Amino acid sequence: MVSIKWTKRASPSATEISTFAQDNKVSNVLAELLLERGFTNQNDVADFLHPDVAGLQDPFALHDMDKALETLDDVIQHEGKIVIYGDYDADGVTSASIMRLTLKKLGADPKVFIPNRFKDGYGPNMDEYKKLVADKIDLLITVDNGVSGKEQVKYLKDNDVKVIITDHHDLPDELPEADAVVHPRIPGAEYPCPYLSGAGVAFKFADALLGDDALQFADLAAIGTVADSVALKGENRVIVSEGLKRMHENNHIGLTALAKKCKLELNKVSSIDIGFKLAPRLNAIGRLDDATSAMELLTTSDQTLADDIVSETEEINNKRRSLVAEAFDQAQEQIEQQKDNGVLVLTSNDWHQGILGIVASRVVDQEHKPAMVLQYDKDQGIYKGSGRSPEGFNLFEALNAHHELFAAFGGHAQACGFSIEEPQLNQLITEVQAEPAKQAFDPHSPVEKKFDLSLDIKQLNFELIDEIGKLAPFGVGNEQPVIQFKNVHLNQKQSVGKDNSHLKAMIADATNQVSSIGFGLYQKAIDCSDELLNVYGQADVNVWAGRKNLQVMIFDFEVAPAGKVIDSLEKIYFDYRQKNLSKQLMNKFDKIVCFNPAYYEMLKRHDLSAEVIMADENCDGKNILIYDRPHKLELFEQFLNQQNPAHVAIYFHTTLTSRYLTPDLKHMKTLLKYLYSHENIRPEDMTKVAQYLQIDKNNIDFYLKVFFELNFVKMVNGFVKRAEVSKQRELIESPTYMKRLQRNDVEKILIESDFDNLLSWISEHKRQV
């Protein structure tokens, strides 16, 4: 398993966080997350937190948009034949769907061509372009492709076919001589959102033609934007946010049918749902079959057809999952054989070409090495493959250094596609192993990952989830925050999943716990035994049988540095909290330590041979017994850091007349309201008041004392009366209230926690010399 080095994304100071929170009227948690993401300007913060259609850019700011509309209008006016040329992935089919629906609204009836991954390949295909010329089309509109087709476009133009290119991919040295090239990154005409997806560009095309009516296609644009992993910044964030809002309008019955199959409610779909449920199913069609059906699904008005396609899509997606799992398992033997290689080259005659990229991605995640996964195409007598690489290694640069070996090659830094003959492949396998060293990439070094917040489990609640959710939609460039839980245990570990490799556990500290799931982490959790851990994951709300519960999706965990400290503490501290102390046992200690004078005086009368001392007296180097508990944790922390005994037996005896419960704010409000609305209530009447309100009498007495301290009530002629409060008072201003909270903390940490968690607390609060 790959070793991961976790570091905090950024560490703004408490003052910076507080000032930012006040200036932008957000919580401290949200302020910290925004500061980590580089926000400083209030207007930028407001735009980011509240994306709406006002943030959409002028579509005519895109290069050649005006020319594209003039060309299209001329063809439509003359009732010319129009073909939309798309792509077989989710971005390509959503782009084609948006364009098709837009042109239909204008009265045109375009045909749509979605290339077949295996027969046609990606992008402009000369054979298909020749067929279009033979069909005597008048206009070709490309979506999510075309900018690299200089030769093919020239062929169309030479045959009197008009061409509008809408694309977002990397630009070639020379643009095709089309009638219009609508692209967000044309030099000299850079668009405010240069990282639009193909669907984003198609949506802007619709915006230019239809105005506000184009918003009904925002849901399709959102799917393409998330699926293509472009940065969710600027206008992309607006497109996805608006698209998620528009999904529940049911503008596209095929999308509704697909969401239903995924067990998603359209009004609750998130960008995460798009990335992990909707988009993979649309992508699966193009990976294993003809993606034309995916476009038909998103544009049809026939419910029966939509349901049929969705059923087929689910079958294809399940097949895709099975093929990927099978190929990935088969690849493990080759991975082991190449464990010393810096670049993994994995081959098979049987793997499906459509899943090679997914398998390569999984290998990279597992091994943190560049991976090339190839299948031998018997019909063409050549290997076809996909490559993926981790951050820090430029796969395109590495393979391009040997471009003469490939029959076909293309891609970018982290992903490539290629074809290569067997003799050249054997040569490449040897030569490519030198590439990691050339880029100073060490595949054996830990993967560096970032976390955003470091929290105690008790800080995790539904309100925190809501605050984090204000950063949504999440995606590339705006990842869902990762939380670190320091010095915790994984309790109640269970293996789950078909292969029992996944982990279900409770993340627990001394006083709190939360349920969690970690994919592929069961064995690692077992290997860590009961060690103290730092856990990293994302928190969310899990809904089951109508009940909402907090849950953490664990990404990783590591033995906490405090764990080593605990190992040493176990040689010093011993748990005597459940023991029956006899005089004989107590006399085995050098000294008996007390925090409370009353216990000190009591033990002094017992004629013990062990010396009885108070907690502030020196006991360095001695074997001691801590007899009673302090009334607040700070006193115990002071003892830990002022004394250095050889061995410590912890007894923590204290007789409690009643258990220290957390003050119930609802009951406090109920009592105060009752006192304000009733006359002639005396302190001796509180037993009856407790019975009537069904509140414990001890708590009634406690609440009443707090009310007197805060001047909420006062005594007038022997009766409890409402006091006129001159200013807003907080409960923490009451000494009695604070004492109760302090005793609660003592009870939870020092008494109720198991000894491992108590040692964990000691390790966190004892200064290490």
Side-chain angles (χ1 to χ4, degrees):
M1 184 171 288
V2 175
S3 173
I4 300 175
K5 179 182 178 182
W6 289 95
T7 56
K8 196 168 188 305
R9 190 177 302 279
S11 299
S13 68
T15 301
E16 290 174 319
I17 292 171
S18 178
T19 300
F20 187 92
Q22 293 177 14
D23 290 345
N24 293 279
K25 296 181 175 57
V26 297
S27 69
N28 281 5
V29 167
L30 196 54
E32 182 174 357
L33 293 171
L34 288 167
L35 282 168
E36 288 182 340
R37 283 157 173 73
F39 284 95
T40 55
N41 183 280
Q42 289 189 25
N43 291 331
D44 292 341
V45 171
D47 290 344
F48 184 81
L49 294 179
H50 307 288
D52 60 35
V53 293
L56 293 175
Q57 301 293 326
D58 178 3
F60 288 94
L62 277 163
H63 181 265
D64 277 358
M65 183 65 82
D66 52 349
K67 293 181 180 179
L69 266 58
E70 289 175 8
T71 302
L72 175 63
D73 182 63
D74 182 61
V75 173
I76 291 177
Q77 291 295 328
H78 290 87
E79 298 183 352
K81 293 175 64 175
I82 303 173
V83 171
I84 299 166
Y85 195 109
D87 188 26
Y88 42 71
D89 65 3
D91 189 24
V93 296
T94 51
S95 303
S97 298
I98 292 169
M99 191 64 73
R100 182 188 194 191
L101 293 169
T102 298
L103 298 191
K104 279 183 169 291
K105 277 188 167 293
L106 296 176
D109 186 22
K111 292 184 178 180
V112 180
F113 176 78
I114 305 294
N116 184 290
R117 175 191 293 265
F118 313 107
K119 181 171 69 72
D120 306 310
Y122 167 77
N125 180 293
M126 184 62 83
D127 290 338
E128 292 300 329
Y129 275 31
K130 289 179 179 179
K131 292 179 183 178
L132 296 176
V133 170
D135 287 342
K136 300 186 182 302
I137 72 166
D138 297 287
L139 171 64
L140 178 73
I141 303 177
T142 71
V143 289
D144 194 34
N145 77 96
V147 77
S148 63
K150 182 177 175 61
E151 180 183 352
Q152 293 88 341
V153 170
K154 183 179 185 304
Y155 174 80
L156 291 179
K157 294 298 297 175
D158 288 345
N159 286 276
D160 298 323
V161 177
K162 297 180 184 296
V163 180
I164 298 173
I165 293 173
T166 72
D167 199 357
H168 72 119
H169 288 95
D170 290 347
L171 296 167
D173 294 334
E174 293 185 56
L175 291 176
E177 295 179 1
D179 294 86
V181 179
V182 181
H183 193 291
R185 284 182 282 126
I186 301 293
E190 289 84 355
Y191 186 66
C193 183
Y195 25 80
L196 286 174
S197 65
V201 176
F203 175 71
K204 297 308 297 182
F205 196 91
D207 187 11
L209 287 166
L210 305 177
D212 288 347
D213 286 347
L215 292 173
Q216 64 187 287
F217 306 137
D219 51 0
L220 301 182
I223 294 173
T225 299
V226 172
D228 214 50
S229 298
V230 292
L232 291 193
K233 300 178 182 178
E235 190 171 24
N236 279 348
R237 183 171 172 80
V238 176
I239 289 172
V240 174
S241 178
E242 187 65 22
L244 293 172
K245 294 175 187 175
R246 299 253 171 188
M247 280 192 182
H248 72 278
E249 294 180 359
N250 195 19
N251 287 322
H252 313 289
I253 63 172
L255 179 56
T256 303
L258 182 61
K260 183 178 180 181
K261 195 70 174 180
C262 298
K263 298 181 180 179
L264 295 173
E265 298 179 42
L266 281 178
N267 62 338
K268 296 180 180 178
V269 172
S270 69
S271 58
I272 306 300
D273 293 325
I274 291 176
F276 286 93
K277 294 182 179 181
L278 297 177
R281 284 167 168 80
L282 295 175
N283 274 324
I285 302 175
R287 290 187 182 280
L288 304 186
D289 207 335
D290 188 339
T292 300
S293 61
M295 181 275 301
E296 291 174 344
L297 172 66
L298 298 177
T299 58
T300 186
S301 57
D302 185 329
Q303 184 68 60
T304 301
L305 176 60
D307 291 339
D308 289 344
I309 295 175
V310 165
S311 295
E312 293 174 5
T313 300
E314 195 67 14
E315 291 177 9
I316 292 172
N317 191 49
N318 289 335
K319 181 180 179 182
R320 186 267 305 171
R321 287 176 175 172
S322 177
L323 289 172
V324 169
E326 182 180 358
F328 185 66
D329 287 343
Q330 292 174 357
Q332 297 305 310
E333 183 177 349
Q334 293 185 56
I335 292 172
E336 176 62 24
Q337 293 171 351
Q338 299 181 38
K339 62 184 179 181
D340 296 328
N341 291 357
V343 178
L344 301 174
V345 184
L346 314 173
T347 64
S348 172
N349 292 348
D350 302 320
W351 296 339
H352 196 288
Q353 289 181 26
I355 54 93
L356 299 179
I358 302 177
V359 175
S361 293
R362 287 199 178 185
V363 172
V364 171
D365 289 341
Q366 175 180 285
E367 301 297 322
H368 188 52
K369 292 180 179 180
M372 301 167 63
V373 180
L374 303 92
Q375 182 258 352
Y376 185 69
D377 188 325
K378 298 176 183 177
D379 294 334
Q380 298 186 32
I382 197 169
Y383 280 96
K384 293 184 177 180
S386 288
R388 300 290 187 270
S389 69
E391 290 291 333
F393 183 81
N394 190 316
L395 184 61
F396 180 87
E397 180 181 306
L399 297 186
N400 196 44
H402 310 281
H403 64 88
E404 73 282 354
L405 298 176
F406 294 98
F409 167 68
H412 54 79
Q414 261 64 61
C416 292
F418 48 83
S419 298
I420 190 169
E421 295 180 354
E422 186 168 7
Q424 285 73 23
L425 174 61
N426 294 332
Q427 182 180 347
L428 177 68
I429 291 173
T430 301
E431 295 189 5
V432 78
Q433 301 307 324
E435 294 300 325
K438 292 179 182 178
Q439 297 187 29
F441 175 79
D442 181 3
H444 304 292
S445 64
V447 179
E448 293 192 7
K449 292 192 176 183
K450 304 290 185 182
F451 67 90
D452 301 84
L453 298 170
S454 185
L455 302 176
D456 295 328
I457 298 174
K458 66 181 179 182
Q459 294 174 272
L460 193 60
N461 52 46
F462 293 116
E463 289 75 17
L464 177 71
I465 301 299
D466 288 341
E467 284 299 291
I468 292 175
K470 292 177 181 178
L471 296 176
F474 297 116
V476 175
N478 181 45
E479 288 77 10
Q480 184 174 349
V482 176
I483 301 172
Q484 176 199 57
F485 298 98
K486 291 178 64 176
N487 302 328
V488 296
H489 289 279
L490 289 176
N491 295 337
Q492 303 175 36
K493 295 185 281 286
Q494 301 177 47
S495 60
V496 295
K498 291 182 179 179
D499 59 356
N500 292 319
S501 66
H502 307 315
L503 170 70
K504 183 178 182 181
M506 302 299 293
I507 303 174
D509 59 18
T511 57
N512 301 276
Q513 63 181 15
V514 63
S515 64
S516 66
I517 192 80
F519 292 112
L521 291 175
Y522 178 71
Q523 188 57 52
K524 182 176 180 179
I526 294 301
D527 293 341
C528 287
S529 185
D530 295 321
E531 293 186 84
L532 198 66
L533 304 171
N534 290 344
V535 173
Y536 302 89
Q538 291 172 339
D540 216 329
V541 177
N542 180 43
V543 180
W544 179 256
R547 297 182 61 184
K548 297 198 309 182
N549 297 289
L550 295 171
Q551 180 174 278
V552 173
M553 176 66 70
I554 300 178
F555 295 153
D556 188 36
F557 47 83
E558 61 191 3
V559 176
K564 297 178 181 179
V565 176
I566 289 177
D567 288 342
S568 64
L569 293 179
E570 287 177 340
K571 300 174 183 177
I572 300 173
Y573 292 85
F574 302 91
D575 192 2
Y576 272 48
R577 290 175 299 175
Q578 302 299 322
K579 287 185 177 293
N580 293 319
L581 288 185
S582 65
K583 184 175 180 180
Q584 181 181 10
L585 179 58
M586 294 170 70
N587 281 332
K588 291 185 177 182
F589 294 94
D590 298 325
K591 296 187 178 187
I592 299 175
V593 176
C594 297
F595 282 92
N596 301 284
Y599 287 107
Y600 172 81
E601 296 296 338
M602 181 268 290
L603 290 174
K604 292 286 270 187
R605 295 193 295 269
H606 276 58
D607 190 29
L608 297 168
S609 60
E611 182 183 2
V612 181
I613 64 173
M614 290 297 291
D616 57 356
E617 298 181 58
N618 185 276
C619 58
D620 289 352
K622 303 297 183 181
N623 296 324
I624 69 168
L625 170 74
I626 299 180
Y627 184 79
D628 62 334
R629 74 191 77 172
H631 65 271
K632 58 182 179 180
L633 288 173
E634 287 81 356
L635 293 175
F636 187 52
E637 186 174 349
Q638 289 175 16
F639 174 82
L640 293 174
N641 290 301
Q642 291 173 359
Q643 306 286 2
N644 189 29
H647 297 95
V648 181
I650 296 175
Y651 180 54
F652 283 155
H653 169 74
T654 299
T655 301
L656 296 176
T657 56
S658 64
R659 196 179 183 287
Y660 296 124
L661 297 174
T662 301
D664 190 318
L665 297 182
K666 183 178 179 180
H667 283 173
M668 294 183 78
K669 291 179 181 178
T670 299
L671 175 60
L672 189 60
K673 183 178 180 180
Y674 185 87
L675 295 176
Y676 282 178
S677 60
H678 291 75
E679 299 288 337
N680 303 324
I681 298 178
R682 299 167 299 179
E684 53 265 35
D685 297 329
M686 289 302 156
T687 299
K688 294 181 179 179
V689 173
Q691 292 173 348
Y692 177 76
L693 297 178
Q694 296 184 332
I695 300 175
D696 183 85
K697 174 59 166 55
N698 289 326
N699 282 338
I700 288 283
D701 294 339
F702 164 72
Y703 299 154
L704 189 60
K705 187 174 182 180
V706 172
F707 295 160
F708 276 119
E709 289 177 351
L710 296 177
N711 199 32
F712 290 166
V713 297
K714 62 183 178 180
M715 291 297 298
V716 179
N717 299 324
F719 295 100
V720 179
K721 297 289 185 181
R722 180 173 186 161
E724 297 298 327
V725 183
S726 60
K727 64 175 183 177
Q728 183 74 28
R729 302 294 299 275
E730 301 291 339
L731 288 176
I732 59 175
E733 297 179 57
S734 163
T736 297
Y737 183 83
M738 290 305 297
K739 187 175 181 180
R740 172 73 71 96
L741 293 185
Q742 290 167 350
R743 286 183 172 179
N744 282 341
D745 290 340
V746 169
E747 188 79 10
K748 290 179 180 179
I749 300 296
L750 303 188
I751 307 304
E752 293 180 351
S753 64
D754 61 38
F755 200 56
D756 285 340
N757 283 324
L758 177 56
L759 289 181
S760 175
W761 186 92
I762 291 174
S763 72
E764 291 183 53
H765 293 81
K766 178 177 173 59
R767 292 190 297 270
Q768 304 304 314
V769 180

